[in-house]
Amino acid sequence: MKSILVKSSFLLLALVLQSFQESPKKKSKNQPNIIYILADDLGYGDVSTFNENGKIKTPHLDQLAADGMKFTDAHTSSSVCTPTRYGIITGRYNWRSHLKRGVLGGKSEALIPNNRSTVASTLKSSGYNTAFIGKWHLGWNWTKKGKEIDFSKPVTNTPNDLGFDYAYGHCGSLDMAPYVYVENGKATAIPTETTENKDPYGFWRKGLTAPDFVHDDVTPNFFRRSIKYIEEKSNEDKPYFLYLPLPSPHTPILPTGKWKGISGLNEYADFVMMVDAYMGELLAAVKASGKEDNTLIIFTSDNGCSPRGNFKVLKEKGHNPSYTFRGHKSDIFEGGHRVPFIAKWPKIIKAGTTSNVTICTTDFMATCAKIAGKKLADNEGEDSFNMMPLFKDPESKKFKRTATIHHSINGNFAIRKGDWKLAMCAGSGGWGYPDPRKDKEVLKTLPPIQLYNLKNDIGETTNLYEKYPEKVEELKALLTKQIQDGRTTHGKVQQNDTGNMWKQLWWLDKK
């Protein structure tokens, strides 16, 4: 009798263990595929569904919004490339890393350490196939021979080390050498020539270029590969995560073939329309896969439009890439970091909905963790808030973000809470007016703090810092606390990578 009981106990234990082992597989069948497309330097006003006066036609992105949810108050964590990408991948504000201003170059070493959790590593641990195809711009470690890169040797600290099963792309922006594709840690070809383009729109810096790296074909190439990936992975039981950070419409602005001149505005507008057309092909591939209903597609931009898009020409023809907002890429003003943001997920998101809730691109990490059934540790996604409540209800009170910190190319800070925005700098903090590089005399006449009520003054024209000193102190105290706590989510206090004092935190010196 005792022997039978022991055998029964072992059998019961085996069945329990088997059920635990099988549950993730069963769960993964219900988890959505996730595709995150990040445009580069695309302004809020460049997608026609966000700009009733826009002159650039974007029918496929408009349809994506019509089939899903558009966010009118979405922000990147920075108004330039590298920092925003850091925030998307890690769910952490970029300035908590050692990069306090500016961007990385094409030869820069990896910014994200391999032991930091990412969206990709979180999803991979929950059974996802994970892929990066596109512009990385977060650094990786080329093998060096002296001071020169040895392109025949493996590349280390790549996206593969941060949770991506498959990784294909280039290191910096498309105007930053070397112009070489790297696939899973290896250069796909050795650069054999030097190229350069001095055209105002098509500009790229002089640098080594591989024979399979054709600037005009980089954007089409990334779309082709992404579509192929979608087709292949849709035949598998495991869900997939595809991160597609585009190099466009950032310089070099390279509309090709039938897209040249199609907008009637300028080459930048042509390039935006070309990107929209390729988005149409990608969306068609998702539909053809038969997995459209349970595929989450997010489309957004890494910051506002760049001056290289030629605002003067566009505005003369009635188009403003920044919509009604002040500033552009690089700036602390809304035009620098407020971006188009669209989410489509037919199984969860009601078509044709709009959310006016303030979100940040750092929120992707916590959203994916929720989808994956993962609880983030205290040192993961420190500035990321789960967006799932908004997907189900566009004005949900269950979404926990209460304040958002903005960052300019110079490393200047602003904080937004409700209708109020406090900027801890005079001028744009970037290339807009007043420009710290060119308008030093003007800046001397301006207060070092700016306070705006965005509900009444979306164009940030009237600085209210003198009229509402108590609001200045409230927001400054909140900004200081959120910087020093190493997190903005609930949890144990964390450390910023380089401590709690650096040049742009000038107001802390005044205490």
Side-chain angles (χ1 to χ4, degrees), residues 230-460:
I230 291 167
E231 292 170 344
E232 291 176 348
K233 295 306 175 185
S234 293
N235 294 320
E236 300 181 12
D237 288 335
K238 289 176 67 175
Y240 65 82
F241 164 52
L242 170 61
Y243 173 50
L244 172 55
L246 302 172
S248 43
H250 187 291
T251 49
I253 296 167
L254 298 169
T256 59
K258 66 179 180 179
W259 303 109
K260 289 183 179 179
I262 193 169
S263 70
L265 301 174
N266 70 354
E267 290 183 44
Y268 171 78
D270 297 341
F271 205 27
V272 172
M273 291 183 67
M274 176 177 146
V275 170
D276 178 77
Y278 276 108
M279 277 299 300
E281 293 184 17
L282 184 142
L283 295 172
V286 173
K287 186 172 184 177
S289 73
K291 304 291 180 68
E292 180 182 25
D293 188 56
N294 199 27
T295 297
L296 168 60
I297 301 173
I298 292 177
F299 177 91
T300 188
S301 178
D302 64 348
N303 43 248
C305 180
S306 168
R308 285 194 174 269
N310 201 330
F311 276 65
K312 184 175 183 294
V313 168
L314 291 170
K315 286 184 177 180
E316 286 173 353
K317 297 184 179 182
H319 181 79
N320 185 354
S322 294
Y323 187 48
T324 58
F325 310 125
R326 182 179 180 183
H328 47 58
K329 175 182 178 177
S330 80
D331 294 347
I332 204 66
F333 300 126
E334 293 292 290
H337 50 77
R338 191 183 290 226
V339 291
F341 192 105
I342 302 169
K344 176 188 172 184
W345 184 1
K347 186 176 180 180
I348 299 294
I349 297 173
K350 184 179 179 182
T353 47
T354 299
S355 176
N356 301 310
V357 174
T358 307
I359 63 168
C360 182
T361 45
T362 56
D363 296 332
F364 185 53
M365 175 73 163
T367 306
C368 287
K370 180 65 176 178
I371 290 171
K374 297 281 187 178
K375 180 176 173 54
L376 293 176
D378 282 324
N379 63 346
E380 297 176 317
E382 294 93 329
D383 304 296
S384 188
F385 294 83
N386 170 30
M387 293 175 61
M388 283 294 291
L390 294 177
F391 290 165
K392 297 175 181 179
D393 173 5
E395 304 301 321
S396 176
K397 302 300 181 185
K398 294 181 180 179
F399 180 62
K400 301 298 185 182
R401 175 176 289 280
T402 57
T404 305
I405 297 175
H406 309 305
H407 207 228
S408 77
I409 192 171
N410 287 350
N412 296 121
F413 283 90
I415 186 167
R416 162 85 178 281
K417 183 180 180 183
D419 296 332
W420 292 94
K421 178 179 177 182
L422 178 73
M424 301 302 293
C425 64
S428 68
W431 307 326
Y433 183 84
D435 184 334
R437 303 167 303 171
K438 304 173 183 176
D439 307 307
K440 294 180 180 179
E441 294 305 313
V442 174
L443 290 174
K444 288 178 183 178
T445 68
L446 299 177
I449 292 175
Q450 302 174 72
L451 178 70
Y452 299 104
N453 185 304
L454 298 183
K455 182 178 181 180
N456 301 326
D457 180 23
I458 195 62
E460 298 174 278

Side-chain angles (χ1 to χ4, degrees), residues 175-187:
D175 56 2
M176 295 177 175
Y179 306 114
V180 175
Y181 290 124
V182 170
E183 184 174 30
N184 294 332
K186 296 180 180 179

